[in-house]
Structures are given as structure tokens and as C-alpha cells.
């Protein structure tokens, strides 16, 4: 039998963030919320829930943020960034040559490592993007992690996880024991608080959407709903990038997977470019591959 306090927390998290905790995840509640409870001067999870039930919007928001803040690091999983350089950007450069602009959305931007990894990939393209307008939007449910992302300040441990040393030297400035990403890279990324459960049509249309390692926490119906709305937020010839454990297969007909590009999808109506049969195994041309990645 599920304890009432745990059942209450499950419902709050599901309603406010979409996080769908199974009955066996009570250890996760303890590990993430007990420090929060003690910080608030409460002895245990039971007292935390009692205060939440009594009506404490700020505490409820802190609980949701604590439970939905996920691990991230620079160039996480490597493969999506290979796809970005080798498949996505060559096609974008061709398809958007007339307007010379690109919009990219990181739908679970967290503390900034993903959007800044994308920004550094674009910086490495150099003259290929001369004269182009590039907009990267990073959104997240948590305002706290967005503030960290805006600052662009990371510990030695954080910059050592996934970030090639040549990019650290090139795009970061050391501040004592911390590192801050350069202002020109920070300026490429805009930040906005956003709950994926809510309407995001006001954001407009994007050429590329990174929505990685967030849908795995949602139930099937929520995933279906979000895929339907992502399909309306992406250009007809755009690209959707999901996490390694995520897929549209069996959930949505709005996107089709690349058969040889794990985690990469296109709107169902999109066509491959003439002479490029990327979905069946022919590799796209490479752009400014970053050594060591």
C-alpha cells in the first residue's frame, strides 16, 4: 500500500510538472526532498507534506524544482551533437540559404550545458555562418536552473564532464576555481521559464528542437500530447532531437525517425534533399568536426 504522503506528492508532481513517479520511487522522494525539508526547518517528509497541504505555493514550487532538476553535462551522449554537425546543419545551411536565419529550441535546457554545447558547435563553423542570424532558446520548468544557465558559470568538475579541453580554453574564462563561458557565447542563448505541459505555441516555429531526457519522466498520454504540440512548433522540414531512451515510435505519426541516426526525427511530411539519402545510410557532409568529441 502506498503511503498517503507519497501518493499526495505523486499527484502534485504529476499535475504540476508531468513527472510520473512509479510506486517504487519513494527513495527518490527521500533523497531529493529531505534536504529541502531540513532547509525549511522541517524534521521530515511528513512535515513537508503537511505544510504543502496547508497551502504554501513557494514551498510547492521548490518541491517541484527539486524533483525535476535532472543531471546534465556538456556534449552529453555525444551522438546528438554529431548529428547536429554532420546531418542537421548541412541541411539547414542549404534549406535556409535564402533567409540566412535559424531558430533552435532546447526544451529542457536545465543549467545550460546543452544550449551552450550547441552554441559552441555553431561557433566552430566559423565563416559558414557569416551573415546568418542564429537564435537559441533555452527553456526549463525551473527558474533556479535557468538562472545558473544565464550566468554561464561552472565548477571545475562540471567543465571536465564532456567538454573538450580545447573548447574550454577557447570559450571560457577562469574565475578562481570556477569557469565562465565567454559573453559572445552566452549572448547566443536566450532563456525563458516554461512548463511543457502548458501551451507553447507563442514561442513560434523552430528549425531544430532538442527535447532530450525529459519525456522519459512522463506517462504515455502526456508524451503523445507533447509530440502533437511539438509538431506544430517545428518547421515542416525541421529536425527533432530526442534522448537515447526516448522515441516517437508507437506514440505519434507526426514525426519519422532517421533509420541510421539514433534519436533524430523529422516531421512526417519532410523530404530528404535531392542527392542526400540520409535516412537510408548515406552520411551527410561533415561540418567543422570538433576533435575529441
Amino acid at each position: 500500500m502506498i503511503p498517503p504522503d507519497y501518493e499526495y506528492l505523486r499527484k502534485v508532481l504529476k499535475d504540476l510538472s508531468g513527472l510520473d513517479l512509479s510506486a517504487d520511487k519513494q527513495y527518490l522522494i527521500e533523497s531529493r526532498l529531505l534536504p529541502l525539508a531540513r532547509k525549511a526547518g522541517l524534521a521530515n517528509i511528513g512535515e513537508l507534506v503537511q505544510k504543502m497541504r496547508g497551502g504554501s505555493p513557494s514551498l510547492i514550487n521548490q518541491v517541484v524544482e527539486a524533483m525535476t532538476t535532472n543531471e546534465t553535462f556538456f556534449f552529453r551522449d555525444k551522438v546528438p551533437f554529431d548529428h547536429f554537425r554532420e546531418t542537421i546543419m548541412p541541411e539547414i545551411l542549404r534549406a535556409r540559404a535564402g533567409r540566412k536565419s535559424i531558430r533552435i529550441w532546447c526544451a529542457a535546457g536545465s543549467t545550460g550545458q546543452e544550449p551552450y554545447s550547441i552554441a559552441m558547435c555553431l561557433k566552430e563553423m566559423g565563416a559558414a555562418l557569416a551573415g546568418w542570424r542564429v537564435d537559441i532558446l533555452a527553456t526549463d520548468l525551473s527558474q533556479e536552473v535557468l538562472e545558473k544557465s544565464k550566468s554561464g558559470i561552472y565548477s571545475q568538475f562540471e567543465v571536465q564532464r564532456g567538454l573538450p579541453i580545447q573548447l574550454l580554453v577557447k570559450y571560457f574564462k577562469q574565475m578562481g576555481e570556477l569557469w565562465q563561458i565567454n559573453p559572445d557565447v552566452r549572448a547566443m542563448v536566450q532563456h525563458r521559464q516554461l512548463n511543457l505541459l502548458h501551451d507553447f505555441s507563442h514561442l513560434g516555429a523552430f528549425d531544430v528542437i532538442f527535447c532530450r531526457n525529459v519525456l522519459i519522466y512522463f506517462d504515455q498520454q502526456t508524451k503523445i500530447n507533447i509530440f502533437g504540440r511539438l509538431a506544430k512548433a517545428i518547421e515542416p522540414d525541421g529536425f527533432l532531437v530526442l534522448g537515447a531512451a526516448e522515441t516517437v515510435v508507437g506514440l505519434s505519426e507526426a514525426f519519422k525517425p532517421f533509420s541510421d541516426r539514433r534519436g533524430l526525427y523529422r516531421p512526417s511530411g519532410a523530404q530528404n534533399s535531392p542527392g542526400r539519402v540520409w535516412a537510408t545510410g548515406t552520411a551527410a557532409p561533415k561540418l567543422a568536426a570538433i576533435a575529441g568529441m
Side-chain angles (χ1 to χ4, degrees):
M1 183 176 176
I2 301 175
D5 286 351
Y6 182 62
E7 190 58 53
Y8 169 78
L9 287 168
R10 286 178 69 190
K11 185 176 188 310
V12 167
L13 291 165
K14 177 82 177 291
D15 291 346
L16 296 183
S17 73
L19 180 62
D20 189 25
L21 286 177
S22 57
D24 62 348
K25 290 292 195 299
Q26 293 186 48
Y27 71 91
L28 194 59
I29 291 279
E30 290 285 338
S31 65
R32 293 200 178 184
L33 296 189
L34 195 53
L36 178 62
R38 287 172 175 162
K39 184 179 177 182
L42 305 169
N44 50 47
I45 302 295
E47 289 189 13
L48 181 73
V49 169
Q50 185 177 3
K51 188 166 183 179
M52 290 170 66
R53 288 181 187 273
S56 178
S58 63
L59 184 61
I60 291 172
N61 286 338
Q62 290 177 55
V63 166
V64 172
E65 290 205 1
M67 291 301 301
T68 55
T69 300
N70 302 306
E71 182 181 62
T72 184
F73 49 91
F74 289 102
F75 297 99
R76 182 179 181 179
D77 300 331
K78 184 180 179 293
V79 171
F81 300 97
D82 290 341
H83 293 339
F84 184 71
R85 294 190 311 272
E86 299 168 8
T87 300
I88 295 173
M89 283 309 300
E91 172 64 10
I92 291 292
L93 286 174
R94 185 201 66 80
R96 303 291 183 264
R99 76 180 197 203
K100 288 187 177 295
S101 68
I102 174 174
R103 296 192 76 217
I104 301 169
W105 177 23
C106 292
S110 191
T111 46
Q113 284 92 328
E114 179 180 85
Y116 289 137
S117 294
I118 293 170
M120 284 185 280
C121 283
L122 294 169
K123 280 284 189 183
E124 289 296 290
M125 290 174 57
L129 278 174
W132 283 65
R133 175 186 173 125
V134 178
D135 295 316
I136 304 172
L137 176 65
T139 65
D140 201 277
L141 176 65
S142 169
Q143 186 62 42
E144 182 179 353
V145 300
L146 287 174
E147 291 302 323
K148 178 178 172 64
S149 181
K150 287 179 187 177
S151 75
I153 297 174
Y154 299 95
S155 67
Q156 185 70 39
F157 174 74
E158 288 170 319
V159 297
Q160 286 177 333
R161 299 188 72 200
L163 183 63
I165 185 65
Q166 69 268 32
L167 296 188
L168 175 63
V169 172
K170 189 172 183 179
Y171 296 116
F172 287 75
K173 178 181 179 182
Q174 191 164 13
M175 305 165 53
E177 296 182 354
L178 302 174
W179 294 82
Q180 184 171 38
I181 198 159
N182 292 344
D184 59 328
V185 181
R186 293 204 310 274
M188 295 174 68
V189 180
Q190 302 300 309
H191 297 83
R192 186 177 300 185
Q193 187 175 24
L194 180 79
N195 188 332
L196 286 175
L197 298 186
H198 301 162
D199 176 55
F200 46 73
S201 60
H202 59 284
L203 298 179
F206 295 88
D207 302 294
V208 186
I209 298 177
F210 280 72
C211 188
R212 301 197 303 141
N213 306 310
V214 61
L215 298 178
I216 52 175
Y217 300 104
F218 298 157
D219 64 24
Q220 182 163 310
Q221 188 53 51
T222 303
K223 291 177 186 175
I224 291 170
N225 178 272
I226 290 175
F227 280 134
R229 291 185 290 123
L230 286 174
K232 296 176 182 177
I234 197 166
E235 295 282 7
D237 59 348
F239 294 85
L240 173 67
V241 185
L242 299 181
E246 298 162 330
T247 183
V248 304
V249 177
L251 294 173
S252 173
E253 299 294 325
F255 296 95
K256 59 183 180 183
F258 275 67
S259 60
D260 61 346
R261 298 283 188 274
R262 175 171 58 85
L264 186 59
Y265 300 82
R266 300 203 78 175
S268 292
Q271 299 295 320
N272 287 326
S273 301
R276 295 178 174 87
V277 194
W278 299 336
T280 56
T282 302
K286 293 187 177 183
L287 280 179
I290 300 172
M293 288 174 48

